[in-house]
């Protein structure tokens, strides 16, 4: 809750930046980070469920694996029953910090990279625009994932910790500060960025699909008769977000499983005990668990990513509109 309040304090302070045109990139960072973090507050419980489902039965054949959680709803009920409300919101602080750093960078730099690549919707060649949007989103996503990787590392480890049903490697972190200090003592900067390559691959793929399809679906809906029936920009954003979220989950889930396992694996002598990197993890998971293993937690992933995508883009669009309103008002007052 403290981080949530601090987040909104930061958001309202961004108004000061609206009068600094040369720092528009910082304005975009704050707006995007605020939108994603607001969404995170509502979707973090599902993220926790997804993390545990992905770690359950790691590198075990389906018949040999111990199944604690039978699905997202069952997992949610068990965690709430055994760990309470605080348990279902485990990892919220690093999750919000991750959203600020990762999505602030990803969404904030997306439009800038779009302009550099000429991904303009006024261009007649729709295929070229779509491909340029994918490249823009992948680049913005990889950059955001790199900056946010230490927070995601802590989030995964805190969310996997359970006193009654352990899945994956268990880490005894009291809070975010304690977690960072322990990781730093054990591995320094390298320890904080362990698993970053998997996260960059994960977000680059997910982001390229999510942002490009969101823009594409929004353009298609706006240009179609559906826009008149919806009669609301929020409804258009909602439909575009749901479609983009589903497409992103299909493309992203295998590398999401890989990323979760790389962050969670036990570290010995500076090296991961199970995997040497993302492709090694992908191969070992496929050999041991098959395609089903790579799509573990799929519905929990979509139940998290779908609403998170919807909320992020709706908040983002509304925050941008609010920011533009403030900017126009301030400009008018200055001229008067």
């Amino acid at each position: 809750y403290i981080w949530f309040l601090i987040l909104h304090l930061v958001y309202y302070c961004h108004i000061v930046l609206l009068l600094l045109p040369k720092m528009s990139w910082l304005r975009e960072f704050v707006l995007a980070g605020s939108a994603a973090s607001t969404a995170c507050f509502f979707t973090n419980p599902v993220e926790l469920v997804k993390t545990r489902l992905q770690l359950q039965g790691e590198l075990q054949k389906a018949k040999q694996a111990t199944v604690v959680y039978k699905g997202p709803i069952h997992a949610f009920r068990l965690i709430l029953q055994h760990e309470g409300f605080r348990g279902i919101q485990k990892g919220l602080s690093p999750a919000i910090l991750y959203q600020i750093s990762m999505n602030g960078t990803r969404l904030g730099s997306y439009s800038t990279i779009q302009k550099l690549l000429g991904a303009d919707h006024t261009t007649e060649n729709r295929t070229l625009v779509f491909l340029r949007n994918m490249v823009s989103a992948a680049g913005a996503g990889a950059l955001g994932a790199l900056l946010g990787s230490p927070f995601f590392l802590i989030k995964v480890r805190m969310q996997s910790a359970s006193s009654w049903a352990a899945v994956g490697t268990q880490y005894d972190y009291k809070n975010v500060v304690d977690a960072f200090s322990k990781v730093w003592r054990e591995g320094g900067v390298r320890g904080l960025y362990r698993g970053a390559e998997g996260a960059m691959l994960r977000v680059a793929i997910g982001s390229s699909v999510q942002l490009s399809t969101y823009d594409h679906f929004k353009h298609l809906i706006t240009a179609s008769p559906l826009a008149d029936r919806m009669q609301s920009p929020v409804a258009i954003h909602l439909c575009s977000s749901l479609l983009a979220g589903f497409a992103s989950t299909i493309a992203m889930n295998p590398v999401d499983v890989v990323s979760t396992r790389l962050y969670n694996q036990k570290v010995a002598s500076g090296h991961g005990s199970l995997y040497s990197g993302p492709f090694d993890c992908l191969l070992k998971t496929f050999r041991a668990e098959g395609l089903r293993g790579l799509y573990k937690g799929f519905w929990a992933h979509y139940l998290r990513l779908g609403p998170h995508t919807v909320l992020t883009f709706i908040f983002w669009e509304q925050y941008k509109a609010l920011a533009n309103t403030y900017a126009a008002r301030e400009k008018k007052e200055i001229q008067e």
Side-chain angles (χ1 to χ4, degrees), residues 222-333:
T222 303
S224 73
L226 282 173
D228 296 327
R229 295 180 184 178
M230 290 181 179
Q231 298 179 343
S232 169
V234 175
I236 294 174
H237 301 156
L238 177 64
C239 290
S240 304
S241 300
L242 284 172
L243 291 168
F246 190 72
S248 183
T249 306
I250 293 173
M252 191 178 174
N253 204 84
V255 283
D256 191 53
V257 171
V258 167
S259 183
T260 298
R261 294 184 174 187
L262 285 174
Y263 279 132
N264 178 258
Q265 71 172 329
K266 185 178 180 181
V267 179
S269 302
H271 299 284
S273 59
L274 295 176
Y275 317 109
S276 60
F279 295 105
D280 181 51
C281 180
L282 187 73
L283 188 60
K284 284 180 177 176
T285 300
F286 181 73
R287 282 176 177 171
E289 304 170 55
L291 188 63
R292 189 175 180 178
L294 293 173
Y295 275 91
K296 273 187 175 178
F298 177 84
W299 289 112
H301 192 180
Y302 181 65
L303 286 172
R304 179 262 170 192
L305 189 62
H308 191 272
T309 303
V310 170
L311 291 170
T312 297
F313 281 119
I314 287 177
F315 284 131
W316 192 27
E317 298 281 3
Q318 298 309 307
Y319 285 175
K320 284 194 289 186
L322 183 61
N324 290 335
T325 301
Y326 270 106
R329 185 185 302 172
E330 291 294 332
K331 185 177 180 181
K332 185 178 180 181
E333 288 179 0

Side-chain angles (χ1 to χ4, degrees), residues 113-133:
I113 299 175
Q114 269 186 313
K115 291 174 184 176
L116 290 173
L117 294 179
D120 188 349
H121 280 301
T122 58
T123 306
E124 292 183 4
N125 191 332
R126 299 295 312 148
T127 303
L128 185 60
V129 170
F130 184 76
L131 291 175
R132 285 176 176 173
N133 279 337

Side-chain angles (χ1 to χ4, degrees), residues 191-253:
L192 287 172
Y193 278 91
R194 181 169 300 281
E197 64 273 29
M200 290 175 70
L201 183 63
R202 165 187 174 270
V203 180
I205 291 173
S207 187
S208 65
V209 176
Q210 184 190 52
L211 292 180
S212 58
T213 54
Y214 173 76
D215 264 2
H216 190 65
F217 287 134
K218 189 172 76 169
H219 177 78
L220 289 177
I221 293 171
T222 303
S224 73
L226 282 173
D228 296 327
R229 295 180 184 178
M230 290 181 179
Q231 298 179 343
S232 169
V234 175
I236 294 174
H237 301 156
L238 177 64
C239 290
S240 304
S241 300
L242 284 172
L243 291 168
F246 190 72
S248 183
T249 306
I250 293 173
M252 191 178 174
N253 204 84

Side-chain angles (χ1 to χ4, degrees), residues 38-272:
T38 307
C40 176
F41 181 78
F42 297 100
T43 60
N44 187 65
V46 191
E47 174 72 12
L48 181 142
V49 167
K50 181 207 72 165
T51 298
R52 294 196 183 180
L53 285 171
Q54 290 179 340
L55 291 172
Q56 180 174 249
E58 187 173 10
L59 297 184
Q60 295 177 335
K61 298 290 184 182
K63 294 180 180 179
Q64 300 171 344
T66 301
V67 178
V68 179
Y69 309 114
K70 298 177 182 178
I73 296 174
H74 182 249
F76 186 90
R77 183 174 62 81
L78 282 181
I79 295 168
L80 195 59
Q81 178 184 337
H82 290 276
E83 302 176 43
F85 182 75
R86 286 188 67 180
I88 206 68
Q89 278 287 16
K90 263 185 184 175
L92 179 62
S93 296
I96 287 180
L97 291 170
Y98 172 71
Q99 292 298 331
I100 292 172
S101 56
M102 191 279 284
N103 269 318
T105 303
R106 181 175 75 107
L107 300 179
S109 63
Y110 176 55
S111 58
T112 302
I113 299 175
Q114 269 186 313
K115 291 174 184 176
L116 290 173
L117 294 179
D120 188 349
H121 280 301
T122 58
T123 306
E124 292 183 4
N125 191 332
R126 299 295 312 148
T127 303
L128 185 60
V129 170
F130 184 76
L131 291 175
R132 285 176 176 173
N133 279 337
M134 287 195 75
V135 174
S136 302
L143 178 61
L146 179 63
L147 293 175
S149 185
F151 301 116
F152 201 86
L153 171 80
I154 301 302
K155 180 197 74 70
V156 168
R157 293 183 176 183
M158 290 182 75
Q159 290 183 336
S160 64
S162 175
S163 58
W164 69 277
V167 290
T169 303
Q170 298 293 290
Y171 295 89
D172 183 25
Y173 297 146
K174 297 176 183 177
N175 49 51
V176 179
V177 176
D178 179 57
F180 270 105
S181 104
K182 285 180 178 177
V183 173
W184 177 264
R185 283 200 304 268
E186 291 167 3
V189 175
R190 187 176 178 182
L192 287 172
Y193 278 91
R194 181 169 300 281
E197 64 273 29
M200 290 175 70
L201 183 63
R202 165 187 174 270
V203 180
I205 291 173
S207 187
S208 65
V209 176
Q210 184 190 52
L211 292 180
S212 58
T213 54
Y214 173 76
D215 264 2
H216 190 65
F217 287 134
K218 189 172 76 169
H219 177 78
L220 289 177
I221 293 171
T222 303
S224 73
L226 282 173
D228 296 327
R229 295 180 184 178
M230 290 181 179
Q231 298 179 343
S232 169
V234 175
I236 294 174
H237 301 156
L238 177 64
C239 290
S240 304
S241 300
L242 284 172
L243 291 168
F246 190 72
S248 183
T249 306
I250 293 173
M252 191 178 174
N253 204 84
V255 283
D256 191 53
V257 171
V258 167
S259 183
T260 298
R261 294 184 174 187
L262 285 174
Y263 279 132
N264 178 258
Q265 71 172 329
K266 185 178 180 181
V267 179
S269 302
H271 299 284

